[in-house]
mmCIF file of all heavy atoms in Angstrom:
data_model
loop_
_atom_site.group_PDB
_atom_site.id
_atom_site.type_symbol
_atom_site.label_atom_id
_atom_site.label_comp_id
_atom_site.label_asym_id
_atom_site.label_seq_id
_atom_site.Cartn_x
_atom_site.Cartn_y
_atom_site.Cartn_z
ATOM 1 N N THR A 12 104.691 118.354 96.045
ATOM 2 C CA THR A 12 105.036 119.564 96.782
ATOM 3 C C THR A 12 106.285 120.234 96.112
ATOM 4 O O THR A 12 107.046 119.428 95.561
ATOM 5 C CB THR A 12 105.256 119.323 98.288
ATOM 6 O OG1 THR A 12 105.574 120.549 98.847
ATOM 7 C CG2 THR A 12 106.320 118.303 98.494
ATOM 8 N N ARG A 13 106.407 121.396 96.203
ATOM 9 C CA ARG A 13 107.537 122.125 95.667
ATOM 10 C C ARG A 13 108.711 122.228 96.636
ATOM 11 O O ARG A 13 109.790 122.663 96.247
ATOM 12 C CB ARG A 13 107.125 123.519 95.177
ATOM 13 C CG ARG A 13 106.107 123.414 94.005
ATOM 14 C CD ARG A 13 105.849 124.862 93.588
ATOM 15 N NE ARG A 13 104.633 124.798 92.671
ATOM 16 C CZ ARG A 13 104.699 124.661 91.401
ATOM 17 N NH1 ARG A 13 105.861 124.565 90.796
ATOM 18 N NH2 ARG A 13 103.511 124.643 90.656
ATOM 19 N N ARG A 14 108.474 121.878 97.853
ATOM 20 C CA ARG A 14 109.600 121.907 98.827
ATOM 21 C C ARG A 14 109.525 120.760 99.813
ATOM 22 O O ARG A 14 108.447 120.124 99.949
ATOM 23 C CB ARG A 14 109.578 123.240 99.597
ATOM 24 C CG ARG A 14 108.338 123.474 100.477
ATOM 25 C CD ARG A 14 108.484 124.870 101.035
ATOM 26 N NE ARG A 14 107.499 124.933 102.199
ATOM 27 C CZ ARG A 14 107.926 124.910 103.423
ATOM 28 N NH1 ARG A 14 109.122 124.685 103.771
ATOM 29 N NH2 ARG A 14 106.999 124.929 104.446
ATOM 30 N N PRO A 15 110.638 120.339 100.445
ATOM 31 C CA PRO A 15 110.544 119.179 101.321
ATOM 32 C C PRO A 15 109.654 119.428 102.482
ATOM 33 O O PRO A 15 109.538 120.490 103.004
ATOM 34 C CB PRO A 15 112.047 119.075 101.745
ATOM 35 C CG PRO A 15 112.891 119.950 100.830
ATOM 36 C CD PRO A 15 111.915 120.965 100.275
ATOM 37 N N ARG A 16 109.027 118.280 102.909
ATOM 38 C CA ARG A 16 108.168 118.338 104.103
ATOM 39 C C ARG A 16 108.621 117.422 105.191
ATOM 40 O O ARG A 16 108.330 117.664 106.368
ATOM 41 C CB ARG A 16 106.743 117.986 103.636
ATOM 42 C CG ARG A 16 106.098 118.882 102.731
ATOM 43 C CD ARG A 16 105.709 120.149 103.452
ATOM 44 N NE ARG A 16 105.017 121.037 102.433
ATOM 45 C CZ ARG A 16 104.741 122.251 102.657
ATOM 46 N NH1 ARG A 16 105.196 122.842 103.768
ATOM 47 N NH2 ARG A 16 104.079 122.986 101.741
ATOM 48 N N ALA A 17 109.401 116.336 104.864
ATOM 49 C CA ALA A 17 109.907 115.443 105.846
ATOM 50 C C ALA A 17 111.040 114.717 105.176
ATOM 51 O O ALA A 17 111.281 114.773 103.961
ATOM 52 C CB ALA A 17 108.845 114.466 106.250
ATOM 53 N N ARG A 18 111.905 114.070 106.031
ATOM 54 C CA ARG A 18 112.989 113.292 105.476
ATOM 55 C C ARG A 18 113.165 112.066 106.419
ATOM 56 O O ARG A 18 112.638 112.033 107.550
ATOM 57 C CB ARG A 18 114.263 114.048 105.464
ATOM 58 C CG ARG A 18 114.649 114.552 106.792
ATOM 59 C CD ARG A 18 115.732 115.701 106.637
ATOM 60 N NE ARG A 18 116.054 116.376 107.937
ATOM 61 C CZ ARG A 18 115.413 117.219 108.566
ATOM 62 N NH1 ARG A 18 114.218 117.621 108.043
ATOM 63 N NH2 ARG A 18 115.795 117.732 109.686
ATOM 64 N N LEU A 19 113.678 110.955 105.908
ATOM 65 C CA LEU A 19 113.918 109.720 106.589
ATOM 66 C C LEU A 19 115.481 109.661 107.001
ATOM 67 O O LEU A 19 116.303 109.935 106.210
ATOM 68 C CB LEU A 19 113.549 108.559 105.785
ATOM 69 C CG LEU A 19 112.163 108.260 105.550
ATOM 70 C CD1 LEU A 19 111.934 107.154 104.508
ATOM 71 C CD2 LEU A 19 111.388 107.901 106.833
ATOM 72 N N ARG A 20 115.553 109.304 108.287
ATOM 73 C CA ARG A 20 117.013 109.158 108.776
ATOM 74 C C ARG A 20 116.979 107.917 109.679
ATOM 75 O O ARG A 20 115.918 107.591 110.307
ATOM 76 C CB ARG A 20 117.431 110.358 109.632
ATOM 77 C CG ARG A 20 117.504 111.589 108.853
ATOM 78 C CD ARG A 20 118.819 111.611 107.924
ATOM 79 N NE ARG A 20 118.982 112.877 107.295
ATOM 80 C CZ ARG A 20 118.613 113.195 106.047
ATOM 81 N NH1 ARG A 20 118.005 112.215 105.362
ATOM 82 N NH2 ARG A 20 118.799 114.325 105.532
ATOM 83 N N MET A 21 118.138 107.334 109.881
ATOM 84 C CA MET A 21 118.269 106.272 110.911
ATOM 85 C C MET A 21 118.694 106.965 112.202
ATOM 86 O O MET A 21 119.567 107.806 112.193
ATOM 87 C CB MET A 21 119.365 105.312 110.486
ATOM 88 C CG MET A 21 119.045 104.530 109.195
ATOM 89 S SD MET A 21 117.468 103.645 109.219
ATOM 90 C CE MET A 21 117.866 102.318 110.323
ATOM 91 N N THR A 22 117.901 106.692 113.276
ATOM 92 C CA THR A 22 118.176 107.275 114.555
ATOM 93 C C THR A 22 118.085 106.190 115.672
ATOM 94 O O THR A 22 117.672 105.141 115.358
ATOM 95 C CB THR A 22 117.244 108.398 114.889
ATOM 96 O OG1 THR A 22 115.889 107.832 115.029
ATOM 97 C CG2 THR A 22 117.206 109.510 113.931
ATOM 98 N N ASP A 23 118.604 106.495 116.726
ATOM 99 C CA ASP A 23 118.545 105.616 117.964
ATOM 100 C C ASP A 23 117.302 106.001 118.667
ATOM 101 O O ASP A 23 117.147 107.129 119.173
ATOM 102 C CB ASP A 23 119.725 105.739 118.858
ATOM 103 C CG ASP A 23 120.989 104.958 118.271
ATOM 104 O OD1 ASP A 23 120.716 104.089 117.379
ATOM 105 O OD2 ASP A 23 122.066 105.434 118.487
ATOM 106 N N TYR A 24 116.344 105.089 118.815
ATOM 107 C CA TYR A 24 115.127 105.335 119.623
ATOM 108 C C TYR A 24 114.981 104.222 120.664
ATOM 109 O O TYR A 24 114.936 103.061 120.231
ATOM 110 C CB TYR A 24 113.884 105.325 118.677
ATOM 111 C CG TYR A 24 112.608 105.700 119.386
ATOM 112 C CD1 TYR A 24 112.340 106.966 119.800
ATOM 113 C CD2 TYR A 24 111.728 104.662 119.593
ATOM 114 C CE1 TYR A 24 111.084 107.220 120.471
ATOM 115 C CE2 TYR A 24 110.476 104.855 120.208
ATOM 116 C CZ TYR A 24 110.235 106.217 120.658
ATOM 117 O OH TYR A 24 109.026 106.505 121.290
#
Side-chain angles (χ1 to χ4, degrees):
T12 181
R13 296 183 193 267
R14 62 186 200 98
R16 298 287 184 191
R18 59 196 176 280
L19 286 174
R20 297 282 185 265
M21 298 304 290
T22 64
D23 287 333
Y24 183 74

